[in-house]
């Protein structure tokens, strides 16, 4: 499979066309941004870690009945994926209060919920990815009711699978963001699942082992990504 022309460059990945109109190649970068691109930096080695980790997790999710865009890993940073049309929703699941939830609602970070929450943001950089609900998603015609129900069902399933998966590596899954796409009419999981898109805390010390180290200038950013990678037994 060969990369043809570049289709798109995002904040963390480049996307290329291939000879197959149904398949794209994503190429993970070491670039990191936060706060809608206001803060910029590099996390050396992040691209390779996020590529390997996403693919490993997506294979696990496929086995558990969540369809994904994964076709095959091509190199340490490149993966062939199904060409989807992205549903412009950031789907966020939370198990523990942190980040924007804590800020918006005045709940201390680390407060555990009795049940996971789900929320949607409208993927729109010009508007700063505003928080919306499912009726807003319908009003903006971002997805059908049936698609929204499928997305919710898969998102909670992803949470159950990932909570257990990270826990065996002594990592607590605080929250995460996922994205879905349409592929020949079906909703499938797309984008990535990595320390860029999850909050992962050490179960014993609550040490942050994710992109918050970059967002909040906590230091040891690269080390945190490598730590997660090793704990998951990935190479
Ligand atoms: P938040 O607390 O800032 O809303 O973030 C919730 C989760 O979503 C957290 O795991 C980080 C992830 N996230 C992204 O992957 N991309 C984003 O642009 C934002 C704002 C959050």
């Amino acid at each position: 499979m060969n990369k043809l022309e570049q289709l798109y460059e995002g904040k963390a990945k480049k996307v290329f066309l291939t000879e197959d109109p149904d398949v794209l190649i994503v190429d993970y970068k070491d670039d990191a941004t936060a706060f809608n691109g206001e803060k910029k930096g590099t996390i050396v080695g992040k691209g390779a870690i996020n590529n390997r980790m996403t693919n490993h997790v997506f294979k696990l999710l496929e086995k558990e009945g969540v369809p994904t865009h994964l076709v095959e890993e091509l190199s340490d940073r490149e993966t062939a994926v199904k060409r989807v049309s992205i549903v412009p929703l950031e789907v966020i699941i939370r198990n523990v209060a942190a980040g924007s939830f804590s800020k918006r609602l005045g709940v201390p970070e680390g407060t555990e919920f009795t049940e996971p929450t789900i929320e949607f943001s409208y993927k729109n950089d010009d508007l700063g990815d505003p928080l919306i609900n499912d009726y807003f998603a319908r009003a903006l015609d971002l997805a059908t009711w049936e698609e929204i129900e499928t997305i919710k069902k898969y998102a909670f399933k992803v949470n159950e699978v990932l909570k257990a998966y990270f826990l065996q590596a002594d990592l607590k899954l605080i929250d995460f963001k996922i994205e879905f796409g349409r592929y020949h009419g079906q909703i499938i999981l797309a984008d990535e699942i990595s320390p860029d898109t999850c909050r992962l805390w050490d179960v014993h010390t609550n040490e942050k082992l994710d992109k918050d180290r970059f967002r909040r200038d906590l230091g040891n950013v690269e080390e945190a990504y490598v730590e997660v990678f090793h704990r998951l037994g990935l190479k």
Side-chain angles (χ1 to χ4, degrees), residues 11 35-36 90-94 98-102 104 119 121 129 174-179 191 195-200 211-212 215-216:
K11 287 183 270 212
F35 316 118
N36 202 16
E90 300 203 335
V91 181
I92 296 166
I93 296 270
R94 302 179 192 268
S100 66
F101 184 96
S102 292
R104 184 176 290 119
E119 76 203 51
S121 292
D129 299 339
I174 305 301
D175 56 32
F176 61 92
K177 183 267 303 179
I178 49 181
E179 295 181 23
D191 194 46
D196 271 17
T197 62
C198 301
R199 285 196 173 94
L200 298 167
K211 194 177 168 192
D212 271 349
R215 295 188 189 99
R216 303 179 186 191

PDB file of all heavy atoms in Angstrom, residues 11 35-36 90-94 98-102 104 119 121 129 174-179 191 195-200 211-212 215-216, ligand 1:
ATOM      1  N   LYS A  11      -3.692  18.416  13.713  1.00  0.00           N
ATOM      2  CA  LYS A  11      -2.743  18.857  14.734  1.00  0.00           C
ATOM      3  C   LYS A  11      -1.762  17.751  15.111  1.00  0.00           C
ATOM      4  O   LYS A  11      -0.631  18.026  15.466  1.00  0.00           O
ATOM      5  CB  LYS A  11      -3.510  19.364  15.954  1.00  0.00           C
ATOM      6  CG  LYS A  11      -4.159  20.737  15.662  1.00  0.00           C
ATOM      7  CD  LYS A  11      -4.866  21.310  16.854  1.00  0.00           C
ATOM      8  CE  LYS A  11      -6.292  20.862  16.871  1.00  0.00           C
ATOM      9  NZ  LYS A  11      -7.270  21.730  17.421  1.00  0.00           N
ATOM     10  N   PHE A  35      -5.407  23.626  24.131  1.00  0.00           N
ATOM     11  CA  PHE A  35      -6.227  24.842  24.171  1.00  0.00           C
ATOM     12  C   PHE A  35      -6.518  25.345  22.759  1.00  0.00           C
ATOM     13  O   PHE A  35      -6.217  26.483  22.415  1.00  0.00           O
ATOM     14  CB  PHE A  35      -5.557  25.909  25.050  1.00  0.00           C
ATOM     15  CG  PHE A  35      -5.019  25.342  26.335  1.00  0.00           C
ATOM     16  CD1 PHE A  35      -3.653  25.386  26.638  1.00  0.00           C
ATOM     17  CD2 PHE A  35      -5.874  24.697  27.223  1.00  0.00           C
ATOM     18  CE1 PHE A  35      -3.160  24.821  27.809  1.00  0.00           C
ATOM     19  CE2 PHE A  35      -5.382  24.130  28.394  1.00  0.00           C
ATOM     20  CZ  PHE A  35      -4.026  24.193  28.685  1.00  0.00           C
ATOM     21  N   ASN A  36      -7.064  24.426  21.947  1.00  0.00           N
ATOM     22  CA  ASN A  36      -7.449  24.738  20.572  1.00  0.00           C
ATOM     23  C   ASN A  36      -6.278  25.301  19.766  1.00  0.00           C
ATOM     24  O   ASN A  36      -6.437  26.248  19.000  1.00  0.00           O
ATOM     25  CB  ASN A  36      -8.661  25.685  20.563  1.00  0.00           C
ATOM     26  CG  ASN A  36      -9.414  25.626  19.255  1.00  0.00           C
ATOM     27  OD1 ASN A  36      -9.236  24.702  18.458  1.00  0.00           O
ATOM     28  ND2 ASN A  36     -10.239  26.621  19.002  1.00  0.00           N
ATOM     29  N   GLU A  90     -17.031  15.307  19.269  1.00  0.00           N
ATOM     30  CA  GLU A  90     -16.053  14.722  20.178  1.00  0.00           C
ATOM     31  C   GLU A  90     -16.877  14.081  21.284  1.00  0.00           C
ATOM     32  O   GLU A  90     -17.670  14.748  21.951  1.00  0.00           O
ATOM     33  CB  GLU A  90     -15.112  15.793  20.731  1.00  0.00           C
ATOM     34  CG  GLU A  90     -14.355  16.490  19.612  1.00  0.00           C
ATOM     35  CD  GLU A  90     -13.053  17.134  20.060  1.00  0.00           C
ATOM     36  OE1 GLU A  90     -12.927  17.471  21.252  1.00  0.00           O
ATOM     37  OE2 GLU A  90     -12.173  17.286  19.197  1.00  0.00           O
ATOM     38  N   VAL A  91     -16.712  12.793  21.439  1.00  0.00           N
ATOM     39  CA  VAL A  91     -17.507  12.041  22.412  1.00  0.00           C
ATOM     40  C   VAL A  91     -16.621  11.796  23.621  1.00  0.00           C
ATOM     41  O   VAL A  91     -15.567  11.159  23.507  1.00  0.00           O
ATOM     42  CB  VAL A  91     -17.981  10.707  21.788  1.00  0.00           C
ATOM     43  CG1 VAL A  91     -18.822   9.928  22.781  1.00  0.00           C
ATOM     44  CG2 VAL A  91     -18.732  10.963  20.492  1.00  0.00           C
ATOM     45  N   ILE A  92     -17.037  12.334  24.762  1.00  0.00           N
ATOM     46  CA  ILE A  92     -16.195  12.261  25.962  1.00  0.00           C
ATOM     47  C   ILE A  92     -16.901  11.459  27.038  1.00  0.00           C
ATOM     48  O   ILE A  92     -18.065  11.734  27.369  1.00  0.00           O
ATOM     49  CB  ILE A  92     -15.847  13.681  26.472  1.00  0.00           C
ATOM     50  CG1 ILE A  92     -14.991  14.393  25.411  1.00  0.00           C
ATOM     51  CG2 ILE A  92     -15.116  13.625  27.813  1.00  0.00           C
ATOM     52  CD1 ILE A  92     -14.858  15.873  25.617  1.00  0.00           C
ATOM     53  N   ILE A  93     -16.206  10.467  27.555  1.00  0.00           N
ATOM     54  CA  ILE A  93     -16.706   9.660  28.673  1.00  0.00           C
ATOM     55  C   ILE A  93     -15.839   9.978  29.881  1.00  0.00           C
ATOM     56  O   ILE A  93     -14.613  10.069  29.758  1.00  0.00           O
ATOM     57  CB  ILE A  93     -16.605   8.151  28.342  1.00  0.00           C
ATOM     58  CG1 ILE A  93     -17.505   7.784  27.161  1.00  0.00           C
ATOM     59  CG2 ILE A  93     -16.916   7.304  29.576  1.00  0.00           C
ATOM     60  CD1 ILE A  93     -18.911   7.379  27.484  1.00  0.00           C
ATOM     61  N   ARG A  94     -16.477  10.121  31.038  1.00  0.00           N
ATOM     62  CA  ARG A  94     -15.736  10.388  32.278  1.00  0.00           C
ATOM     63  C   ARG A  94     -16.135   9.391  33.359  1.00  0.00           C
ATOM     64  O   ARG A  94     -17.329   9.126  33.542  1.00  0.00           O
ATOM     65  CB  ARG A  94     -16.050  11.794  32.804  1.00  0.00           C
ATOM     66  CG  ARG A  94     -15.728  12.905  31.829  1.00  0.00           C
ATOM     67  CD  ARG A  94     -16.094  14.273  32.397  1.00  0.00           C
ATOM     68  NE  ARG A  94     -16.033  15.270  31.349  1.00  0.00           N
ATOM     69  CZ  ARG A  94     -14.950  16.011  31.061  1.00  0.00           C
ATOM     70  NH1 ARG A  94     -13.852  15.895  31.773  1.00  0.00           N
ATOM     71  NH2 ARG A  94     -14.982  16.882  30.064  1.00  0.00           N
ATOM     72  N   ALA A  98     -12.413  15.623  36.359  1.00  0.00           N
ATOM     73  CA  ALA A  98     -11.109  16.226  36.028  1.00  0.00           C
ATOM     74  C   ALA A  98     -11.363  17.279  34.952  1.00  0.00           C
ATOM     75  O   ALA A  98     -12.480  17.395  34.424  1.00  0.00           O
ATOM     76  CB  ALA A  98     -10.122  15.175  35.523  1.00  0.00           C
ATOM     77  N   GLY A  99     -10.324  18.036  34.653  1.00  0.00           N
ATOM     78  CA  GLY A  99     -10.330  18.935  33.501  1.00  0.00           C
ATOM     79  C   GLY A  99     -11.521  19.870  33.454  1.00  0.00           C
ATOM     80  O   GLY A  99     -11.877  20.505  34.449  1.00  0.00           O
ATOM     81  N   SER A 100     -12.146  19.940  32.268  1.00  0.00           N
ATOM     82  CA  SER A 100     -13.216  20.933  32.063  1.00  0.00           C
ATOM     83  C   SER A 100     -14.432  20.639  32.934  1.00  0.00           C
ATOM     84  O   SER A 100     -15.165  21.558  33.307  1.00  0.00           O
ATOM     85  CB  SER A 100     -13.609  21.011  30.589  1.00  0.00           C
ATOM     86  OG  SER A 100     -14.206  19.806  30.167  1.00  0.00           O
ATOM     87  N   PHE A 101     -14.667  19.356  33.272  1.00  0.00           N
ATOM     88  CA  PHE A 101     -15.807  19.016  34.150  1.00  0.00           C
ATOM     89  C   PHE A 101     -15.607  19.669  35.520  1.00  0.00           C
ATOM     90  O   PHE A 101     -16.515  20.309  36.061  1.00  0.00           O
ATOM     91  CB  PHE A 101     -15.928  17.496  34.308  1.00  0.00           C
ATOM     92  CG  PHE A 101     -17.130  17.057  35.107  1.00  0.00           C
ATOM     93  CD1 PHE A 101     -18.304  16.672  34.471  1.00  0.00           C
ATOM     94  CD2 PHE A 101     -17.092  17.043  36.497  1.00  0.00           C
ATOM     95  CE1 PHE A 101     -19.420  16.286  35.220  1.00  0.00           C
ATOM     96  CE2 PHE A 101     -18.206  16.662  37.248  1.00  0.00           C
ATOM     97  CZ  PHE A 101     -19.368  16.280  36.601  1.00  0.00           C
ATOM     98  N   SER A 102     -14.400  19.519  36.067  1.00  0.00           N
ATOM     99  CA  SER A 102     -14.101  20.073  37.399  1.00  0.00           C
ATOM    100  C   SER A 102     -14.203  21.585  37.390  1.00  0.00           C
ATOM    101  O   SER A 102     -14.754  22.195  38.309  1.00  0.00           O
ATOM    102  CB  SER A 102     -12.700  19.639  37.833  1.00  0.00           C
ATOM    103  OG  SER A 102     -12.705  18.252  38.071  1.00  0.00           O
ATOM    104  N   ARG A 104     -15.849  23.578  35.164  1.00  0.00           N
ATOM    105  CA  ARG A 104     -17.184  24.094  34.868  1.00  0.00           C
ATOM    106  C   ARG A 104     -18.132  23.930  36.051  1.00  0.00           C
ATOM    107  O   ARG A 104     -18.967  24.792  36.312  1.00  0.00           O
ATOM    108  CB  ARG A 104     -17.737  23.363  33.635  1.00  0.00           C
ATOM    109  CG  ARG A 104     -19.076  23.842  33.151  1.00  0.00           C
ATOM    110  CD  ARG A 104     -19.532  23.140  31.866  1.00  0.00           C
ATOM    111  NE  ARG A 104     -18.750  23.533  30.717  1.00  0.00           N
ATOM    112  CZ  ARG A 104     -18.017  22.705  29.979  1.00  0.00           C
ATOM    113  NH1 ARG A 104     -17.966  21.417  30.259  1.00  0.00           N
ATOM    114  NH2 ARG A 104     -17.331  23.155  28.955  1.00  0.00           N
ATOM    115  N   GLU A 119     -20.614  13.061  27.204  1.00  0.00           N
ATOM    116  CA  GLU A 119     -20.919  14.399  26.695  1.00  0.00           C
ATOM    117  C   GLU A 119     -20.422  14.510  25.262  1.00  0.00           C
ATOM    118  O   GLU A 119     -19.565  13.733  24.831  1.00  0.00           O
ATOM    119  CB  GLU A 119     -20.294  15.481  27.587  1.00  0.00           C
ATOM    120  CG  GLU A 119     -18.820  15.644  27.415  1.00  0.00           C
ATOM    121  CD  GLU A 119     -18.131  16.277  28.628  1.00  0.00           C
ATOM    122  OE1 GLU A 119     -18.340  15.810  29.762  1.00  0.00           O
ATOM    123  OE2 GLU A 119     -17.370  17.222  28.424  1.00  0.00           O
ATOM    124  N   SER A 121     -18.996  17.313  22.266  1.00  0.00           N
ATOM    125  CA  SER A 121     -18.596  18.641  21.814  1.00  0.00           C
ATOM    126  C   SER A 121     -18.724  18.663  20.299  1.00  0.00           C
ATOM    127  O   SER A 121     -18.459  17.657  19.639  1.00  0.00           O
ATOM    128  CB  SER A 121     -17.145  18.937  22.173  1.00  0.00           C
ATOM    129  OG  SER A 121     -17.014  19.060  23.557  1.00  0.00           O
ATOM    130  N   ASP A 129     -14.746  24.088  19.741  1.00  0.00           N
ATOM    131  CA  ASP A 129     -15.350  22.795  20.116  1.00  0.00           C
ATOM    132  C   ASP A 129     -16.356  22.922  21.273  1.00  0.00           C
ATOM    133  O   ASP A 129     -16.149  22.344  22.350  1.00  0.00           O
ATOM    134  CB  ASP A 129     -14.266  21.772  20.507  1.00  0.00           C
ATOM    135  CG  ASP A 129     -13.301  21.467  19.372  1.00  0.00           C
ATOM    136  OD1 ASP A 129     -13.654  21.702  18.199  1.00  0.00           O
ATOM    137  OD2 ASP A 129     -12.194  20.985  19.664  1.00  0.00           O
ATOM    138  N   ILE A 174      -9.452   7.898  33.804  1.00  0.00           N
ATOM    139  CA  ILE A 174     -10.227   9.013  34.366  1.00  0.00           C
ATOM    140  C   ILE A 174     -11.301   9.462  33.367  1.00  0.00           C
ATOM    141  O   ILE A 174     -12.471   9.569  33.700  1.00  0.00           O
ATOM    142  CB  ILE A 174      -9.283  10.204  34.699  1.00  0.00           C
ATOM    143  CG1 ILE A 174      -8.155   9.746  35.635  1.00  0.00           C
ATOM    144  CG2 ILE A 174     -10.067  11.398  35.250  1.00  0.00           C
ATOM    145  CD1 ILE A 174      -8.611   9.167  36.954  1.00  0.00           C
ATOM    146  N   ASP A 175     -10.872   9.718  32.133  1.00  0.00           N
ATOM    147  CA  ASP A 175     -11.792  10.136  31.070  1.00  0.00           C
ATOM    148  C   ASP A 175     -11.097   9.950  29.728  1.00  0.00           C
ATOM    149  O   ASP A 175      -9.896   9.667  29.687  1.00  0.00           O
ATOM    150  CB  ASP A 175     -12.271  11.597  31.261  1.00  0.00           C
ATOM    151  CG  ASP A 175     -11.129  12.599  31.347  1.00  0.00           C
ATOM    152  OD1 ASP A 175     -10.084  12.387  30.703  1.00  0.00           O
ATOM    153  OD2 ASP A 175     -11.283  13.606  32.061  1.00  0.00           O
ATOM    154  N   PHE A 176     -11.846  10.087  28.653  1.00  0.00           N
ATOM    155  CA  PHE A 176     -11.248  10.005  27.310  1.00  0.00           C
ATOM    156  C   PHE A 176     -12.189  10.615  26.283  1.00  0.00           C
ATOM    157  O   PHE A 176     -13.378  10.790  26.540  1.00  0.00           O
ATOM    158  CB  PHE A 176     -10.904   8.560  26.915  1.00  0.00           C
ATOM    159  CG  PHE A 176     -12.076   7.621  26.866  1.00  0.00           C
ATOM    160  CD1 PHE A 176     -12.782   7.414  25.681  1.00  0.00           C
ATOM    161  CD2 PHE A 176     -12.502   6.954  28.002  1.00  0.00           C
ATOM    162  CE1 PHE A 176     -13.866   6.549  25.629  1.00  0.00           C
ATOM    163  CE2 PHE A 176     -13.596   6.088  27.964  1.00  0.00           C
ATOM    164  CZ  PHE A 176     -14.275   5.888  26.779  1.00  0.00           C
ATOM    165  N   LYS A 177     -11.604  10.899  25.122  1.00  0.00           N
ATOM    166  CA  LYS A 177     -12.356  11.461  23.990  1.00  0.00           C
ATOM    167  C   LYS A 177     -12.207  10.509  22.814  1.00  0.00           C
ATOM    168  O   LYS A 177     -11.089  10.069  22.522  1.00  0.00           O
ATOM    169  CB  LYS A 177     -11.782  12.837  23.641  1.00  0.00           C
ATOM    170  CG  LYS A 177     -12.498  13.581  22.545  1.00  0.00           C
ATOM    171  CD  LYS A 177     -11.979  13.392  21.161  1.00  0.00           C
ATOM    172  CE  LYS A 177     -10.540  13.743  20.935  1.00  0.00           C
ATOM    173  NZ  LYS A 177     -10.129  13.496  19.515  1.00  0.00           N
ATOM    174  N   ILE A 178     -13.312  10.183  22.169  1.00  0.00           N
ATOM    175  CA  ILE A 178     -13.242   9.367  20.958  1.00  0.00           C
ATOM    176  C   ILE A 178     -14.061  10.026  19.847  1.00  0.00           C
ATOM    177  O   ILE A 178     -14.880  10.915  20.113  1.00  0.00           O
ATOM    178  CB  ILE A 178     -13.726   7.902  21.186  1.00  0.00           C
ATOM    179  CG1 ILE A 178     -15.070   7.868  21.900  1.00  0.00           C
ATOM    180  CG2 ILE A 178     -12.675   7.105  21.935  1.00  0.00           C
ATOM    181  CD1 ILE A 178     -15.596   6.448  22.171  1.00  0.00           C
ATOM    182  N   GLU A 179     -13.795   9.558  18.629  1.00  0.00           N
ATOM    183  CA  GLU A 179     -14.529  10.072  17.468  1.00  0.00           C
ATOM    184  C   GLU A 179     -15.002   8.898  16.624  1.00  0.00           C
ATOM    185  O   GLU A 179     -14.338   7.857  16.580  1.00  0.00           O
ATOM    186  CB  GLU A 179     -13.620  10.995  16.634  1.00  0.00           C
ATOM    187  CG  GLU A 179     -13.232  12.241  17.421  1.00  0.00           C
ATOM    188  CD  GLU A 179     -12.364  13.204  16.646  1.00  0.00           C
ATOM    189  OE1 GLU A 179     -12.385  13.188  15.401  1.00  0.00           O
ATOM    190  OE2 GLU A 179     -11.652  13.995  17.307  1.00  0.00           O
ATOM    191  N   ASP A 191     -10.236   7.839  14.413  1.00  0.00           N
ATOM    192  CA  ASP A 191      -9.259   8.664  15.123  1.00  0.00           C
ATOM    193  C   ASP A 191      -8.323   7.797  15.967  1.00  0.00           C
ATOM    194  O   ASP A 191      -7.788   6.815  15.467  1.00  0.00           O
ATOM    195  CB  ASP A 191      -9.970   9.745  15.931  1.00  0.00           C
ATOM    196  CG  ASP A 191      -9.035  10.838  16.417  1.00  0.00           C
ATOM    197  OD1 ASP A 191      -8.222  11.316  15.611  1.00  0.00           O
ATOM    198  OD2 ASP A 191      -9.099  11.209  17.600  1.00  0.00           O
ATOM    199  N   PRO A 195      -2.430   8.467  25.035  1.00  0.00           N
ATOM    200  CA  PRO A 195      -2.308   9.423  26.153  1.00  0.00           C
ATOM    201  C   PRO A 195      -2.626  10.867  25.738  1.00  0.00           C
ATOM    202  O   PRO A 195      -2.795  11.728  26.601  1.00  0.00           O
ATOM    203  CB  PRO A 195      -0.831   9.294  26.581  1.00  0.00           C
ATOM    204  CG  PRO A 195      -0.432   7.925  26.125  1.00  0.00           C
ATOM    205  CD  PRO A 195      -1.168   7.726  24.826  1.00  0.00           C
ATOM    206  N   ASP A 196      -2.739  11.122  24.415  1.00  0.00           N
ATOM    207  CA  ASP A 196      -3.217  12.442  23.958  1.00  0.00           C
ATOM    208  C   ASP A 196      -4.702  12.604  24.239  1.00  0.00           C
ATOM    209  O   ASP A 196      -5.186  13.729  24.403  1.00  0.00           O
ATOM    210  CB  ASP A 196      -3.054  12.578  22.427  1.00  0.00           C
ATOM    211  CG  ASP A 196      -1.701  13.143  22.008  1.00  0.00           C
ATOM    212  OD1 ASP A 196      -0.775  13.143  22.837  1.00  0.00           O
ATOM    213  OD2 ASP A 196      -1.587  13.560  20.835  1.00  0.00           O
ATOM    214  N   THR A 197      -5.437  11.500  24.214  1.00  0.00           N
ATOM    215  CA  THR A 197      -6.907  11.573  24.226  1.00  0.00           C
ATOM    216  C   THR A 197      -7.547  10.926  25.459  1.00  0.00           C
ATOM    217  O   THR A 197      -8.776  10.872  25.545  1.00  0.00           O
ATOM    218  CB  THR A 197      -7.477  10.904  22.954  1.00  0.00           C
ATOM    219  OG1 THR A 197      -7.098   9.519  22.961  1.00  0.00           O
ATOM    220  CG2 THR A 197      -6.966  11.546  21.682  1.00  0.00           C
ATOM    221  N   CYS A 198      -6.708  10.408  26.361  1.00  0.00           N
ATOM    222  CA  CYS A 198      -7.215   9.808  27.608  1.00  0.00           C
ATOM    223  C   CYS A 198      -6.530  10.487  28.787  1.00  0.00           C
ATOM    224  O   CYS A 198      -5.376  10.885  28.681  1.00  0.00           O
ATOM    225  CB  CYS A 198      -6.814   8.337  27.734  1.00  0.00           C
ATOM    226  SG  CYS A 198      -7.356   7.254  26.431  1.00  0.00           S
ATOM    227  N   ARG A 199      -7.214  10.561  29.926  1.00  0.00           N
ATOM    228  CA  ARG A 199      -6.501  10.852  31.179  1.00  0.00           C
ATOM    229  C   ARG A 199      -6.252   9.525  31.877  1.00  0.00           C
ATOM    230  O   ARG A 199      -7.191   8.752  32.112  1.00  0.00           O
ATOM    231  CB  ARG A 199      -7.303  11.782  32.087  1.00  0.00           C
ATOM    232  CG  ARG A 199      -7.295  13.214  31.621  1.00  0.00           C
ATOM    233  CD  ARG A 199      -7.742  14.199  32.712  1.00  0.00           C
ATOM    234  NE  ARG A 199      -7.551  15.565  32.241  1.00  0.00           N
ATOM    235  CZ  ARG A 199      -8.515  16.291  31.649  1.00  0.00           C
ATOM    236  NH1 ARG A 199      -9.722  15.783  31.489  1.00  0.00           N
ATOM    237  NH2 ARG A 199      -8.252  17.510  31.230  1.00  0.00           N
ATOM    238  N   LEU A 200      -4.997   9.276  32.194  1.00  0.00           N
ATOM    239  CA  LEU A 200      -4.584   8.031  32.839  1.00  0.00           C
ATOM    240  C   LEU A 200      -3.768   8.371  34.083  1.00  0.00           C
ATOM    241  O   LEU A 200      -2.759   9.077  33.979  1.00  0.00           O
ATOM    242  CB  LEU A 200      -3.715   7.205  31.859  1.00  0.00           C
ATOM    243  CG  LEU A 200      -4.416   6.773  30.572  1.00  0.00           C
ATOM    244  CD1 LEU A 200      -3.402   6.266  29.552  1.00  0.00           C
ATOM    245  CD2 LEU A 200      -5.453   5.688  30.870  1.00  0.00           C
ATOM    246  N   LYS A 211      -1.417  13.487  28.526  1.00  0.00           N
ATOM    247  CA  LYS A 211      -1.106  14.788  27.927  1.00  0.00           C
ATOM    248  C   LYS A 211      -1.287  15.962  28.881  1.00  0.00           C
ATOM    249  O   LYS A 211      -0.813  17.068  28.586  1.00  0.00           O
ATOM    250  CB  LYS A 211      -1.962  14.968  26.667  1.00  0.00           C
ATOM    251  CG  LYS A 211      -1.511  16.090  25.771  1.00  0.00           C
ATOM    252  CD  LYS A 211      -2.363  16.137  24.526  1.00  0.00           C
ATOM    253  CE  LYS A 211      -2.164  17.397  23.747  1.00  0.00           C
ATOM    254  NZ  LYS A 211      -3.213  17.519  22.705  1.00  0.00           N
ATOM    255  N   ASP A 212      -1.959  15.780  30.003  1.00  0.00           N
ATOM    256  CA  ASP A 212      -2.038  16.862  30.989  1.00  0.00           C
ATOM    257  C   ASP A 212      -0.640  17.295  31.441  1.00  0.00           C
ATOM    258  O   ASP A 212      -0.454  18.449  31.851  1.00  0.00           O
ATOM    259  CB  ASP A 212      -2.877  16.458  32.213  1.00  0.00           C
ATOM    260  CG  ASP A 212      -4.367  16.773  32.028  1.00  0.00           C
ATOM    261  OD1 ASP A 212      -4.706  17.487  31.054  1.00  0.00           O
ATOM    262  OD2 ASP A 212      -5.169  16.310  32.856  1.00  0.00           O
ATOM    263  N   ARG A 215      -0.106  19.845  28.802  1.00  0.00           N
ATOM    264  CA  ARG A 215      -1.065  20.964  28.917  1.00  0.00           C
ATOM    265  C   ARG A 215      -0.728  21.841  30.115  1.00  0.00           C
ATOM    266  O   ARG A 215      -0.836  23.053  30.064  1.00  0.00           O
ATOM    267  CB  ARG A 215      -2.499  20.443  29.089  1.00  0.00           C
ATOM    268  CG  ARG A 215      -3.058  19.678  27.896  1.00  0.00           C
ATOM    269  CD  ARG A 215      -4.554  19.378  28.091  1.00  0.00           C
ATOM    270  NE  ARG A 215      -5.066  18.476  27.063  1.00  0.00           N
ATOM    271  CZ  ARG A 215      -5.221  17.169  27.241  1.00  0.00           C
ATOM    272  NH1 ARG A 215      -4.953  16.591  28.402  1.00  0.00           N
ATOM    273  NH2 ARG A 215      -5.672  16.421  26.244  1.00  0.00           N
ATOM    274  N   ARG A 216      -0.324  21.201  31.223  1.00  0.00           N
ATOM    275  CA  ARG A 216      -0.149  21.935  32.494  1.00  0.00           C
ATOM    276  C   ARG A 216       1.311  22.163  32.864  1.00  0.00           C
ATOM    277  O   ARG A 216       1.603  22.499  34.017  1.00  0.00           O
ATOM    278  CB  ARG A 216      -0.853  21.151  33.610  1.00  0.00           C
ATOM    279  CG  ARG A 216      -2.325  20.927  33.327  1.00  0.00           C
ATOM    280  CD  ARG A 216      -3.014  20.136  34.430  1.00  0.00           C
ATOM    281  NE  ARG A 216      -4.388  19.824  34.063  1.00  0.00           N
ATOM    282  CZ  ARG A 216      -5.289  19.333  34.898  1.00  0.00           C
ATOM    283  NH1 ARG A 216      -4.963  19.089  36.156  1.00  0.00           N
ATOM    284  NH2 ARG A 216      -6.512  19.072  34.475  1.00  0.00           N
TER     285      ARG A 216
HETATM  286  P1  LIG B   1     -11.592  18.020  29.139  1.00  0.00           P
HETATM  287  O1  LIG B   1     -11.689  17.694  30.605  1.00  0.00           O
HETATM  288  O2  LIG B   1     -10.571  19.072  28.828  1.00  0.00           O
HETATM  289  O3  LIG B   1     -12.941  18.315  28.556  1.00  0.00           O
HETATM  290  O4  LIG B   1     -11.064  16.684  28.424  1.00  0.00           O
HETATM  291  C1  LIG B   1     -11.753  15.469  28.540  1.00  0.00           C
HETATM  292  C2  LIG B   1     -10.966  14.366  27.840  1.00  0.00           C
HETATM  293  O5  LIG B   1     -10.908  14.589  26.446  1.00  0.00           O
HETATM  294  C3  LIG B   1      -9.499  14.254  28.287  1.00  0.00           C
HETATM  295  O6  LIG B   1      -9.184  12.871  28.387  1.00  0.00           O
HETATM  296  C4  LIG B   1      -8.716  14.887  27.192  1.00  0.00           C
HETATM  297  C5  LIG B   1      -9.564  14.653  25.978  1.00  0.00           C
HETATM  298  N1  LIG B   1      -9.498  15.741  25.004  1.00  0.00           N
HETATM  299  C6  LIG B   1      -9.048  15.499  23.724  1.00  0.00           C
HETATM  300  O7  LIG B   1      -8.672  14.379  23.392  1.00  0.00           O
HETATM  301  N2  LIG B   1      -9.025  16.532  22.834  1.00  0.00           N
HETATM  302  C7  LIG B   1      -9.432  17.777  23.152  1.00  0.00           C
HETATM  303  O8  LIG B   1      -9.390  18.674  22.306  1.00  0.00           O
HETATM  304  C8  LIG B   1      -9.901  18.018  24.488  1.00  0.00           C
HETATM  305  C9  LIG B   1     -10.365  19.389  24.904  1.00  0.00           C
HETATM  306  C10 LIG B   1      -9.929  16.978  25.373  1.00  0.00           C
END
